[in-house]
Amino acid sequence: MNIIPLFVVIPLGSAFLISLLGKRIKGLPDSLANLGTLLMAGLSIYSIFLIKEVGVQVYKVGGWTPPIGISMVLDGLSSFMLVTVNLTAFLITLFSISYMKKYTAKWKFYTLFMLMLGGMNGVIITGDMFNLFVFLEIAAIASYALVAFGIEHEELEASFKYMVMGGVASLFILLGIALLYSLTSTLNMADMGRVLTAQGPSKLVLFVSVLFLVGFGLKAAIMPFHAWLPDAHPSAPAPISAMLSGLLIKVLGIYALMRIFFNVLGAQPAILDILLVLGTISMVAGALLAIGQEDIKRMLAYSSISQIGYIVLAMGIWTPLAILGALFHLFNHAIFKSLLFLNSGAIEYSTGTRDLREMGGLNARMPLTGTTSLIGSMSISGIPPLSGFWSKLIIIFAAIQSGHFVLALIAILVSVITLAYYLKLQRYAFFGNLQDKWKHILEVPFTMKLSMVILALICIMAGALLLPGVREIFLKPAQDALYAGKDYAATVFESIR
Amino acid sequence: MIYLLCLVLFSIGLYCILVKRNLIKIIIGLVIMEYAVNLAFILFGYRLGGRAPILAQDQTIKNMVDPLPQALVLTAIVIGLATTALIVAIAVRIYDRYKTFDITKIRRLKG
């Protein structure tokens, strides 16, 4: 029994069942979505050990051998991303059980949610260029609909903006894929890498790289392409904000960039320099824009841009240590940004507002939300020994090691700014005196608490992933798979045989 | 030459998205861009005087077009249809709420 196709089949199948039966059978959407995500989280953790034992796995769709047939590839990087996505997605569905009660059509929410998850898992697991585009569009279309889920003025406007930007991004990606196909006459990623190596460097590859940079950069909201994110992410319901900010921009943007730029096209110096510059710009500008925000979710959204900047910067440095830092920061950011968005959802659930100026002293009534939010905030600003500290430390070390002293300094400064605006968030929302109108609010229901506590625990413990012995299981295979660069092709073809 | 026309079409679509103020015109710009990319993709697999790659029993095919881009573009068109349907639905809902298609008047968010 091969587990690889299950990562796409389970979410798509449950989306189908929920849309078919969810309206009639009460409780089915909740239970099916939670069971599905739990099962996938388990399977993805199992896949880590599977890879450790038997190496890279390739699944031939329909029994056709690659490069002619479509393939799905499970290597270190894929299984790392699968764990990140499915673990977080499970905790988010756990949160949505109670949170989504205030919306009328819960089954529609879960259908779109599972569709988006299926698309994301597909992007991660596929070994075929065109399939990557198809899965990317599935995830993107589901996310457009989810941003507009509340159908109020702001949601519709944000969704329209997001959709136009996302549509343009997809077309750039499709054009890039078309040009690559005309150059290599193949769509299999591994085969494409092999043909490109045989052909040697060409101007067209550089042009395609730029197209991909624009396309995936728009999806990842790197700085010049970021305009849609601060509108779209806060407009969605809180679990979806967590999903979009924590996972979607990373899978559709960062993961696809990593896979295509490093494993298929090969790391080109010009592109690495561009990544360095873009990463630094989005790191600084995202942080500066976040300070002034009064809406808690908008602040978190700008903070996402800033943290994505760290990851892109580390990708641009391109040393083994930097890649380790980028991947670890990606994992950490998925965890603590989901946690913070769920916290903001919990505040909205209890008080009904997102405006920081109206809050104050919520710690007295919602101690658990306050504590987990404090852990998340401190973790994202890099306070030791929480997880964010270690990943930022690795990125800064890597920058110093490769001679980028200025960038290392900027990264430290941005970390200080991050601390500043998260302290502002804590100060306005949770500390200080409780306002009279919040005297009678209640702490959130049990499942919401549970998911927040688990995420906060992961935040505290994640530093342990760097310990020797543990690192070899989770982070090292992903780092090796990415840093192998164009050897990806050889690895895949070896495991087909 | 014909690739250049594709590029022109692509640029017209992009211009339309960037400059126009009407929601519907923006959507049309998106569709034009999509057609330009699809057309380019088909052209990459085209051969002058080529015929459809269908193998009948008593025929030998010497000069045929590449069928793969056609299959892919078919998929891309379906995806484009889904996106267009969704974006038009959102535009209709926006009209319900704001009573206008002018994006300069639809400004609740700072972006």
Side-chain angles (χ1 to χ4, degrees), chain A residues 91-139:
Chain A
L91 293 169
I92 291 172
T93 42
L94 199 62
F95 184 88
S96 336
I97 295 176
S98 308
Y99 184 82
M100 292 309 290
K101 271 188 189 136
K102 65 174 178 175
Y103 291 90
T104 43
K106 215 173 180 184
W107 61 278
K108 283 181 190 159
F109 167 79
Y110 277 121
T111 306
L112 289 167
F113 187 96
M114 293 312 266
L115 213 54
M116 186 164 83
L117 193 60
M120 283 199 283
N121 278 345
V123 168
I124 294 168
I125 205 93
T126 187
D128 184 277
M129 210 57 149
F130 194 73
N131 266 28
L132 183 116
F133 173 73
V134 172
F135 282 125
L136 185 138
E137 281 292 271
I138 292 175

Side-chain angles (χ1 to χ4, degrees), chain A residues 130 137 151 153 157 181, chain B residues 66 79 93 97-98 106 108:
Chain A
F130 194 73
E137 281 292 271
I151 45 170
H153 292 76
E157 189 188 337
Y181 175 72
Chain B
D66 187 349
I79 292 171
R93 285 298 186 99
R97 301 271 170 193
Y98 289 87
I106 305 170
R108 290 257 182 128

Side-chain angles (χ1 to χ4, degrees), chain A residues 11 33 42 50 112 131 137-138 161 171 174 194 204 216 238 252 262 298 307 324 342 348-349 357 397 426 431 466 496:
Chain A
L50 191 73
L112 289 167
N131 266 28
E137 281 292 271
I138 292 175
K161 200 186 241 179
L171 290 175
L174 184 61
R194 194 172 62 176
L204 191 61
F216 293 120
L252 261 50
F262 297 148
R298 272 183 94 81
Q307 301 302 316
L324 180 72
L342 295 188
E348 207 184 343
Y349 183 86
R357 285 164 300 188
F397 267 165
Q426 292 296 324
F431 297 151
L466 286 174
I496 291 172

Side-chain angles (χ1 to χ4, degrees), chain A residues 11-12 15 108-120 134-150 159 162-163 170 219 232 236-237 240-241 243-244 248 252, chain B residues 79 82-83 86 90:
Chain A
L12 289 187
K108 283 181 190 159
F109 167 79
Y110 277 121
T111 306
L112 289 167
F113 187 96
M114 293 312 266
L115 213 54
M116 186 164 83
L117 193 60
M120 283 199 283
V134 172
F135 282 125
L136 185 138
E137 281 292 271
I138 292 175
I141 290 175
S143 73
Y144 304 149
L146 281 168
V147 167
F149 198 73
S159 175
Y162 178 27
M163 217 184 293
S170 305
K219 297 270 182 202
I240 294 308
S241 307
M243 201 71 183
L244 293 178
L248 194 80
L252 261 50
Chain B
I79 292 171
T83 322
L86 186 60
I90 297 273

Side-chain angles (χ1 to χ4, degrees), chain A residues 50-360:
Chain A
L50 191 73
I51 284 178
K52 201 171 158 56
E53 231 161 78
V54 291
V56 175
Q57 296 237 317
V58 178
Y59 175 75
K60 309 178 187 89
V61 178
W64 298 87
T65 321
I68 304 293
I70 295 168
S71 64
M72 289 178 169
V73 181
L74 183 74
D75 66 351
L77 183 59
S78 305
S79 92
F80 168 80
M81 289 300 296
L82 282 174
V83 171
T84 312
V85 168
N86 291 314
L87 189 66
T88 319
F90 167 61
L91 293 169
I92 291 172
T93 42
L94 199 62
F95 184 88
S96 336
I97 295 176
S98 308
Y99 184 82
M100 292 309 290
K101 271 188 189 136
K102 65 174 178 175
Y103 291 90
T104 43
K106 215 173 180 184
W107 61 278
K108 283 181 190 159
F109 167 79
Y110 277 121
T111 306
L112 289 167
F113 187 96
M114 293 312 266
L115 213 54
M116 186 164 83
L117 193 60
M120 283 199 283
N121 278 345
V123 168
I124 294 168
I125 205 93
T126 187
D128 184 277
M129 210 57 149
F130 194 73
N131 266 28
L132 183 116
F133 173 73
V134 172
F135 282 125
L136 185 138
E137 281 292 271
I138 292 175
I141 290 175
S143 73
Y144 304 149
L146 281 168
V147 167
F149 198 73
I151 45 170
E152 285 305 317
H153 292 76
E154 287 87 358
E155 279 102 348
L156 289 170
E157 189 188 337
S159 175
F160 189 84
K161 200 186 241 179
Y162 178 27
M163 217 184 293
V164 171
M165 299 278 235
V168 173
S170 305
L171 290 175
F172 272 102
I173 295 166
L174 184 61
L175 189 59
I177 292 172
L179 284 169
L180 265 186
Y181 175 72
S182 75
L183 188 67
T184 60
S185 323
T186 175
L187 281 168
N188 188 285
M189 282 192 207
D191 199 33
M192 210 175 239
R194 194 172 62 176
V195 174
L196 284 175
T197 319
Q199 283 177 345
S202 76
K203 287 258 164 54
L204 191 61
V205 174
L206 210 59
F207 180 61
V208 170
S209 308
V210 174
L211 286 179
F212 281 145
L213 194 66
V214 175
F216 293 120
L218 265 164
K219 297 270 182 202
I222 304 170
M223 197 58 189
F225 317 116
H226 72 288
W228 58 270
L229 187 142
D231 291 341
H233 286 191
S235 299
I240 294 308
S241 307
M243 201 71 183
L244 293 178
S245 234
L247 302 175
L248 194 80
I249 52 173
K250 293 197 191 65
V251 174
L252 261 50
I254 301 292
Y255 168 81
L257 268 185
M258 280 176 171
R259 185 62 103 190
I260 291 177
F261 275 6
F262 297 148
N263 285 350
V264 177
L265 303 178
Q268 304 158 53
I271 294 296
L272 290 181
D273 287 345
I274 293 176
L275 287 179
L276 271 184
V277 174
L278 291 184
T280 316
I281 294 174
S282 39
M283 195 165 76
V284 176
L288 290 178
L289 285 168
I291 298 177
Q293 303 301 322
E294 301 294 348
D295 181 337
I296 183 166
K297 279 171 117 181
R298 272 183 94 81
M299 179 187 267
L300 293 176
Y302 275 114
S303 153
S304 279
I305 298 176
S306 170
Q307 301 302 316
I308 285 290
Y310 272 98
I311 301 172
V312 175
L313 171 73
M315 276 162 67
I317 295 171
W318 189 240
T319 58
L321 193 65
I323 294 302
L324 180 72
L327 291 170
F328 192 37
H329 198 62
L330 193 154
F331 175 77
N332 287 339
H333 184 248
I335 298 293
F336 48 59
K337 191 44 68 69
S338 323
L339 172 62
L340 287 165
F341 265 115
L342 295 188
N343 287 144
S344 77
I347 295 173
E348 207 184 343
Y349 183 86
S350 288
T351 65
T353 181
R354 293 194 329 226
D355 196 331
L356 279 174
R357 285 164 300 188
E358 287 181 28
M359 301 171 194

